[in-house]
Amino acid sequence: MALLLRHSRKLRRVHGVLDCERGSIARHFSASACSTTLKKEDAGVSNSSLEYGKKAGSLSISQDRKSGKDTHKFKVSPQEARGLYSSNRVLISATGVNSLFSCGQVVLARHFSSAADLPAHEEIGMPSLSPTMTEGNIARWVKKEGDKVSPGEVLCEVETDKATVEMECMEEGYLAKIVCGDGAKEIKVGEIIAITVEEEGDIEKFKDYKAPASSAAPAESKPQSESTEPKGEEKELPKAAEPKATKTEESSHSGDRVFSSPIARKLAEDNNVPLSSLKASEAKGTKKEAAAAPGLGHVDLPNSQIRKVTANRLLKSKQTIPHYYLTVDSRVDELIKLRSELNPLQDASGGKKISINDLVIKAAALALRKVPECNSSWMNDFIRQYHNVNINVAVQTEHGLFVPVVRDADKKGLATIADEVKQLALRARDNSLKPEDYEGGTFTVSNLGGPFGIKQFCAIVNPPQAAILAIGSAEKRVIPGTDGQFEVGSFMSATLSCDHRVIDGAIGAEWLKAFKGYLENPTTMLL
């Protein structure tokens, strides 16, 4: 087996990593061309693989001293290496990939510095810590420049679109340079945020390090047929049709010709102003600063990453999901009575007190199990119906709105749900939720009744879910009783917001009927 450059402590166990006796690892350095060695045996690398090596760089053939067999070496420049490999992952071209895996000879190459004056180092990029994350903020650095780091240690805290998450170190070394300091905002996923080195003596060499202008994760590469076209030959593109002035176009100049909307021409004519003397409005920047009214005091509060994403998701929900709403009032006297009977038992056993919201979560989960059509998502070509009932619970904090998830709520007891909800709410207020704490929900419950006394409201569906339940406060009402007498009962309002693409009106009504049944006869939830 050919094992190249054994100087790295982290690459010495390559056999265990690859689980292959004939694997090779090549490590890239800065001052010269990079090389990767691959053995060609009888059942080895195909001609297509070698052809790919020729296209990527240059191919040379030498003999292995021990075996006497030919060794094919692909040499690529650091610039070409960037296209072949990226930090923390290995990209293998489709050309020859089958032959590479069939013979069990996988070559891993890791990209390091392309600057001649810098030693080997690792560029740490902004990680993608949630499926919807495109950029993040640095809340604070736990490690400082010059600190030794080990796998599993927390490097920094990253504010994602969902929560603030601890970013752990993956390898042993030293933190040589922090590129994006505490409070850095809107860092694209893949953009360099720090540099680590293996040797402590190399830290000083990164004192004045500047990250490349665009260090974010590269976009998907173009097909090879496009990239291999000769630069000298430029194909003449067909000229696009000259745009015609439309009613929505604002006035603009193009040489001696003036394009303008009918309204602009009419206004210019009424005021005896030549159109050629007017400056097109589209020449101005599209980004406008919101000006406050004169004499009106104000303060501009920056939006957190969580608030921005929440705003975008809710706006998209209202614009793309056909909402409709169903409201039902449930008498909850038996529910309140059951809670008062269970909480002394919880106190005696040292458990958390059960709230009305915990009982609502359990009732909603059981209703979803009874009417699974509401436990679904719209997927354009099909509707996905989930087997798990995972309930997101809306929690308002000073950092924004969080929706941690109680997984398999239909299978858990009330004591377990009460404990989980309180722990999740505490982590949400501490801004310490992890991705697994809020991902994978299939239905959401939002309660503004108990904490705020809101009688009834309509919530916005949390995509990709198809429904959200809005719970109002319980209020006492005088109602007709037996023998012509009147009695007082406690009633609670619940409004179900539905995605009409997934949940038809009758299905939503059937779910609310089941939900109301559990609230008014809560002992059935314990069966």
Side-chain angles (χ1 to χ4, degrees), residues 346-361:
Q346 285 291 97
D347 292 337
S349 62
K352 303 289 185 182
K353 284 190 174 182
I354 296 171
S355 67
I356 292 294
N357 201 51
D358 300 328
L359 292 161
V360 166
I361 292 169

Side-chain angles (χ1 to χ4, degrees), residues 57-228:
S58 59
L59 173 67
S60 61
I61 302 176
S62 58
Q63 281 195 335
D64 189 295
R65 292 183 179 180
K66 293 184 179 180
S67 64
K69 295 182 180 180
D70 288 346
T71 298
H72 293 73
K73 181 177 288 186
F74 303 141
K75 296 190 70 179
V76 291
S77 67
Q79 290 76 18
E80 292 167 328
R82 288 178 182 268
L84 292 172
Y85 308 100
S86 62
S87 297
N88 300 325
R89 57 180 178 169
V90 181
L91 304 179
I92 301 177
S93 168
T95 309
V97 67
N98 293 331
S99 60
L100 282 174
F101 282 109
S102 64
C103 68
Q105 299 180 4
V106 180
V107 180
L108 300 182
R110 189 166 181 195
H111 179 66
F112 280 83
S113 166
S114 60
D117 57 339
L118 293 177
H121 62 277
E122 182 181 358
E123 298 170 343
I124 298 177
M126 171 62 72
S128 178
L129 298 173
S130 76
T132 57
M133 179 177 171
T134 57
E135 59 183 29
N137 304 333
I138 301 293
R140 70 182 184 97
W141 282 92
V142 177
K143 294 290 185 179
K144 300 185 294 293
E145 289 184 359
D147 286 355
K148 186 175 182 179
V149 294
S150 301
E153 291 185 340
V154 177
L155 278 178
C156 63
E157 293 178 356
V158 177
E159 183 183 332
T160 72
D161 57 341
K162 303 283 188 181
T164 299
V165 182
E166 292 179 341
M167 176 181 171
E168 295 181 352
C169 182
M170 302 301 292
E171 295 186 358
E172 186 178 348
Y174 294 88
L175 183 58
K177 182 70 176 179
I178 294 176
V179 179
C180 301
D182 291 353
K185 304 286 186 182
E186 298 179 357
I187 306 168
K188 300 293 183 185
V189 169
E191 188 174 337
I192 298 173
I193 61 173
I195 299 293
T196 60
V197 293
E198 287 188 359
E199 305 300 332
E200 188 175 7
D202 293 336
I203 296 175
E204 186 65 25
K205 298 176 183 178
F206 290 87
K207 182 179 180 181
D208 301 320
Y209 175 86
K210 300 290 184 184
S214 178
S215 60
E220 188 177 347
S221 57
K222 295 181 180 179
Q224 189 157 348
S225 59
E226 295 181 16
S227 59
T228 54

Side-chain angles (χ1 to χ4, degrees), residues 321-341:
I321 294 178
H323 285 62
Y324 74 91
Y325 311 95
L326 301 172
T327 302
V328 69
D329 289 340
S330 303
R331 187 169 181 177
V332 291
D333 294 284
E334 293 296 323
L335 192 74
I336 295 172
K337 180 182 177 183
L338 176 64
R339 177 175 176 262
S340 65
E341 293 173 351

Side-chain angles (χ1 to χ4, degrees), residues 179-440:
V179 179
C180 301
D182 291 353
K185 304 286 186 182
E186 298 179 357
I187 306 168
K188 300 293 183 185
V189 169
E191 188 174 337
I192 298 173
I193 61 173
I195 299 293
T196 60
V197 293
E198 287 188 359
E199 305 300 332
E200 188 175 7
D202 293 336
I203 296 175
E204 186 65 25
K205 298 176 183 178
F206 290 87
K207 182 179 180 181
D208 301 320
Y209 175 86
K210 300 290 184 184
S214 178
S215 60
E220 188 177 347
S221 57
K222 295 181 180 179
Q224 189 157 348
S225 59
E226 295 181 16
S227 59
T228 54
E229 283 187 4
K231 293 182 180 178
E233 299 177 10
E234 293 185 1
K235 294 184 178 180
E236 187 176 351
L237 298 175
K239 293 183 179 179
E242 207 168 322
K244 297 180 180 180
T246 64
K247 292 184 179 180
T248 58
E249 271 187 333
E250 296 185 1
S251 58
S252 60
H253 298 273
S254 177
D256 296 332
R257 187 174 178 181
V258 178
F259 294 97
S260 62
S261 66
I263 295 176
R265 289 196 296 271
K266 183 70 168 65
L267 289 173
E269 184 180 348
D270 292 343
N271 293 277
N272 295 321
V273 176
L275 285 173
S276 58
S277 65
L278 298 176
K279 193 172 185 179
S281 59
E282 62 188 10
K284 298 178 182 178
T286 57
K287 191 175 182 179
K288 298 179 180 178
E289 300 242 347
L296 183 63
H298 71 283
V299 59
D300 294 330
L301 303 176
N303 288 323
S304 65
Q305 193 70 13
I306 297 168
R307 185 165 293 278
K308 287 180 183 177
V309 172
T310 301
N312 290 334
R313 286 172 61 82
L314 295 181
L315 177 63
K316 183 179 180 182
S317 175
K318 288 295 286 185
Q319 289 178 334
T320 61
I321 294 178
H323 285 62
Y324 74 91
Y325 311 95
L326 301 172
T327 302
V328 69
D329 289 340
S330 303
R331 187 169 181 177
V332 291
D333 294 284
E334 293 296 323
L335 192 74
I336 295 172
K337 180 182 177 183
L338 176 64
R339 177 175 176 262
S340 65
E341 293 173 351
L342 293 176
N343 277 336
L345 300 176
Q346 285 291 97
D347 292 337
S349 62
K352 303 289 185 182
K353 284 190 174 182
I354 296 171
S355 67
I356 292 294
N357 201 51
D358 300 328
L359 292 161
V360 166
I361 292 169
K362 180 66 175 180
L366 292 175
L368 286 170
R369 194 165 68 185
K370 185 175 288 188
V371 188
E373 293 88 345
C374 293
N375 195 44
S376 305
S377 293
W378 176 258
M379 308 298 291
N380 290 326
D381 294 331
F382 55 90
I383 292 174
R384 175 169 292 161
Q385 192 172 113
Y386 301 103
H387 298 306
N388 299 85
V389 179
N390 300 337
I391 306 292
N392 287 102
V393 183
V395 178
Q396 182 64 44
T397 73
E398 61 181 8
H399 307 289
L401 181 65
F402 293 88
V403 280
V405 63
V406 178
R407 301 183 186 280
D408 296 317
D410 58 320
K411 301 174 184 176
K412 291 178 177 176
L414 289 169
T416 303
I417 291 174
D419 185 59
E420 283 192 21
V421 169
K422 287 175 176 60
Q423 288 185 13
L424 289 168
L426 181 62
R427 289 206 289 270
R429 294 187 179 96
D430 291 341
N431 204 17
S432 59
L433 287 174
K434 296 181 179 179
E436 58 266 25
D437 292 332
Y438 50 77
E439 292 175 357

